[in-house]
Amino acid sequence: NAGVTQTPKFQVLKTGQSMTLQCAQDMNHNSMYWYRQDPGMGLRLIYYSASEGTTDKGEVPNGYNVSRLNKREFSLRLESAAPSQTSVYFCASSHRQGLAGEQYFGPGTRLTVT
Amino acid sequence: AQSVTQPDIHITVSEGASLELRCNYSYGATPYLFWYVQSPGQGLQLLLKYFSGDTLVQGIKGFEAEFKRSQSSFNLRKPSVHWSDAAEYFCAVGRSGSQGNLIFGKGTKLSVKP
């Protein structure tokens, strides 16, 4: 049982390049999330998907797009990377919709934009 | 607006000593509260959660937390710290009116002296 997996683990981009971060979960969870973690800032929600076919903005959505491909997969796309998007990105999933349920996190993707 | 405050950025304790990590929240209703731990280079792992009922909750790895409504606090405790507990700890509160979103504190880094 892999839980939540993320690819790639590390990535270096030049300013203006695009890329997609992949996330998959095998726990049959309904809800999935993308966070970014910056030093001294904790985790901030970028986008979430309450269920297959729906996505909504979180706290810091600018510069990102997401796709809930199916129940298992939730991808995050940077169309034109900027140095301010240098961060560690975490995907998470949870069974509950509505009020918060326990979230399970992937190992993260460390992204550097030069 | 909901918020979570972890007043201590960095704490150092000796191995075998007791530990208390502080968390205060601002929330208009009964909160859903969580503590997560992040080891270096890893994703977040749930330590414990409070939804309702007994205000003292037990978690994994020998941790416990106490919900005190009068103080808007949810402090994490461990009676005897082990070197492997060195990590960053995040308190989080479930956001009302959402699809399970969490608001995270900025984290407390725990160092353990031998």
Side-chain angles (χ1 to χ4, degrees):
Chain A
N1 192 340
V4 179
T5 57
Q6 293 182 236
T7 55
K9 286 189 167 48
F10 301 92
Q11 184 71 50
V12 179
L13 292 178
K14 289 184 168 39
T15 297
Q17 288 184 318
S18 62
M19 80 161 294
T20 299
L21 282 63
Q22 306 286 354
C23 173
Q25 52 91 9
D26 62 3
M27 295 173 283
N28 201 35
H29 284 169
N30 295 310
S31 301
M32 297 185 74
Y33 313 83
W34 275 106
Y35 293 90
R36 61 177 288 173
Q37 183 181 34
D38 303 292
M41 299 292 292
L43 275 77
R44 293 181 291 170
L45 184 66
I46 305 171
Y47 270 93
Y48 65 98
S49 170
S51 60
E52 187 178 352
T54 69
T55 61
D56 283 287
K57 295 178 180 179
E59 186 182 352
V60 288
N62 291 346
Y64 305 96
N65 285 300
V66 291
S67 295
R68 184 75 182 266
L69 305 169
N70 47 56
K71 192 170 186 178
R72 289 187 64 248
E73 298 172 289
F74 188 39
S75 62
L76 178 72
R77 182 159 179 84
L78 286 70
E79 290 291 351
S80 178
S84 60
Q85 294 178 304
T86 293
S87 188
V88 182
Y89 291 86
F90 289 100
C91 178
S93 69
S94 68
H95 177 64
R96 285 194 191 192
Q97 297 182 38
L99 288 175
E102 176 179 342
Q103 293 189 15
Y104 294 81
F105 285 79
T109 294
R110 187 174 294 274
L111 175 67
T112 302
V113 183
T114 61
Chain B
Q2 298 97 335
S3 65
V4 178
T5 302
Q6 293 180 248
D8 303 305
I9 296 173
H10 190 186
I11 285 181
T12 300
V13 301
S14 297
E15 191 167 16
S18 63
L19 171 70
E20 183 168 26
L21 302 182
R22 296 182 290 165
C23 173
N24 293 98
Y25 65 89
S26 170
Y27 196 78
T30 300
Y32 285 12
L33 294 161
F34 304 80
W35 274 101
Y36 284 85
V37 60
Q38 184 181 31
S39 299
Q42 303 295 315
L44 278 71
Q45 181 184 22
L46 181 69
L47 280 176
L48 48 77
K49 60 190 175 188
Y50 171 78
F51 285 177
S52 64
D54 193 346
T55 57
L56 184 64
V57 293
Q58 303 297 321
I60 62 171
K61 305 185 182 191
F63 285 92
E64 66 178 26
E66 187 170 12
F67 169 57
K68 292 185 178 180
R69 185 187 301 276
S70 62
Q71 298 177 20
S72 297
S73 70
F74 188 56
N75 293 350
L76 182 71
R77 301 195 293 247
K78 187 169 185 179
S80 177
V81 168
H82 187 262
W83 64 266
S84 61
D85 293 325
E88 191 155 19
Y89 292 80
F90 293 92
C91 181
V93 63
R95 195 196 302 251
S96 64
S98 72
Q99 299 298 328
N101 298 342
L102 296 178
I103 302 172
F104 284 86
K106 295 184 178 181
T108 297
K109 184 174 180 181
L110 173 66
S111 298
V112 180
K113 291 190 297 186

